[in-house]
Amino acid sequence: MSLSSKFSSLLASDKFITSAELTPPRHFDLTKFMEHARIINEYVDVVQINDHLLSRARMSNVIPALHCKNAGMEPILQFTLRHKNRIALQGDLLAFANLGLENVIILGGYPCSIGSDPTAKDASDMGSVEAIEKIVALSEHGRMFNGDVISPAPAFCVGTIDFPCSPEKMDQSFERLEKKIEAGAKYIQVQAVFELGPMELWMKEVVRRGLHQRARFIGAVFPFSGAERLHILKEIPGLDIPQHLLERIESHNSEAESLAVTLELINGIRAMEGISGLHIRSIGAEDWVPRVITAAGLGGELVY
């Protein structure tokens, strides 16, 4: 089945793509979620809905995604592998297809031990590379994970995430990244950074290998309102917040300084060859999306 999503068309264009992240609640009332979604949607091309953020039990993101789609938005669903075996993963994919939700981004996910139910068992049924390959085969050939063929085939626009790494880990990192792209990932969302240097080196290697010509690379930032928020973010696995940034924010603890840092990061990311989009990880900072997008010159009207 051919793709019809707005996002797949954006990926095929030369447009610099913008997205922001929404978090389903730990209850069943979507009133506030949809309020945030409507505001954010005015400033970005697509809204990305995370999946049991930080391994905390939340409403399944398929329902918020459907509400967003019905409200005229373009949703991307995070698809976390750690919480489900391949039977459950396929069940979710078929449900997505029935609802016309084509855009998925594959994540391994945080371990259950850090989340709301630390005694829950991690699912280790499938890694990211295999999941991308299987979902692309399902989309292109109607082939289920066990080889059975269904008709009609669903349509999915598949992407994944990756992490800038230190120079000594480049070979291993890029071997896996190339496998993700070979498996069919159409876009790579780079983990949010708080320092440009490591990502600049990583993106230079992306370009040297020509990977930016085979998939779109989307940078990411994590907006924050001050030192307290930055210290909270520091505890999230996979986020590397340098000490000099903490000291800078602590000595000039204001929203203005925090916005200045965010804009420095955005401008640095946008200047990197091979980057063709920006994702705002607006988790708990949804009200910052309009001001960040506007101040960065990416659209929208200034919000003070």
Side-chain angles (χ1 to χ4, degrees):
M1 183 180 292
S2 60
L3 291 165
S4 60
S5 73
K6 171 188 172 184
F7 184 51
S8 62
S9 297
L10 286 171
L11 290 173
S13 74
D14 294 329
K15 186 184 187 301
F16 189 88
I17 300 168
T18 56
S19 65
E21 195 161 333
L22 291 163
T23 303
R26 281 177 56 77
H27 49 72
F28 57 86
D29 185 351
L30 286 176
T31 303
K32 184 176 287 188
F33 175 94
M34 290 305 297
E35 289 173 359
H36 288 314
R38 290 186 182 95
I39 293 171
I40 285 174
N41 186 58
E42 294 298 316
Y43 291 84
V44 296
D45 297 308
V46 291
V47 293
Q48 186 177 125
I49 306 172
N50 55 45
D51 183 14
H52 298 295
L53 177 68
L54 295 175
S55 290
R56 301 187 74 190
R58 299 178 181 274
M59 180 187 290
S60 167
N61 62 0
V62 66
I63 299 303
L66 181 60
H67 280 271
C68 287
K69 179 179 172 63
N70 288 342
M73 305 175 201
E74 180 72 2
I76 300 174
L77 291 98
Q78 290 188 6
F79 199 54
T80 303
L81 305 176
R82 195 182 294 271
H83 304 138
K84 299 165 187 168
N85 65 20
R86 64 188 61 210
I87 295 173
L89 292 173
Q90 290 172 96
D92 282 354
L93 289 166
L94 295 178
F96 295 170
N98 176 265
L99 298 173
L101 301 170
E102 292 186 354
N103 309 311
V104 294
I105 181 168
I106 310 302
L107 297 83
Y110 293 109
C112 294
S113 59
I114 74 165
S116 60
D117 299 79
T119 60
K121 304 298 182 186
D122 291 342
S124 55
D125 209 5
M126 185 172 289
S128 295
V129 174
E130 184 183 6
I132 295 166
E133 186 176 46
K134 296 288 190 184
I135 297 170
V136 170
L138 175 62
S139 182
E140 293 182 351
H141 308 293
R143 192 163 63 239
M144 299 287 281
F145 292 4
N146 69 347
D148 291 346
V149 176
I150 62 171
S151 181
F156 294 110
C157 178
V158 183
T160 189
I161 64 166
D162 217 297
F163 299 78
C165 64
S166 57
E168 60 270 18
K169 296 181 179 178
M170 285 282 192
D171 288 343
Q172 181 179 359
S173 171
F174 277 91
E175 180 182 356
R176 182 169 175 78
L177 175 58
E178 289 186 351
K179 286 180 179 177
K180 291 178 180 179
I181 295 173
E182 289 168 4
K186 295 183 180 296
Y187 63 99
I188 307 294
Q189 182 175 294
V190 186
Q191 173 65 297
V193 295
F194 292 87
E195 191 167 36
L196 294 170
M199 184 173 172
E200 287 174 336
L201 290 174
W202 193 79
M203 282 305 302
K204 284 181 180 178
E205 185 65 12
V206 166
V207 172
R208 190 187 73 80
R209 294 173 182 246
L211 300 181
H212 65 306
Q213 297 172 337
R214 299 167 56 192
R216 295 288 292 268
F217 281 77
I218 298 173
V221 293
F222 225 134
F224 58 96
S225 56
E228 182 179 358
R229 177 66 175 168
L230 200 55
H231 278 284
I232 292 172
L233 295 177
K234 193 174 188 294
E235 301 304 312
I236 297 178
L239 290 184
D240 186 11
I241 301 177
Q243 185 61 31
H244 68 80
L245 176 57
L246 286 168
E247 292 172 358
R248 173 181 170 182
I249 296 301
E250 286 171 346
S251 63
H252 302 85
N253 194 9
S254 67
E255 288 194 357
E257 187 69 11
S258 299
L259 179 59
V261 169
T262 302
L263 293 177
E264 289 169 15
L265 293 171
I266 289 173
N267 290 334
I269 290 169
R270 289 176 69 189
M272 295 178 193
E273 185 179 359
I275 288 290
S276 56
L278 178 74
H279 176 62
I280 300 177
R281 300 211 66 193
S282 45
I283 299 166
E286 292 84 1
D287 57 327
W288 273 62
V289 173
R291 64 196 302 187
V292 167
I293 289 289
T294 302
L298 292 170
E301 300 190 6
L302 187 57
V303 176
Y304 293 96

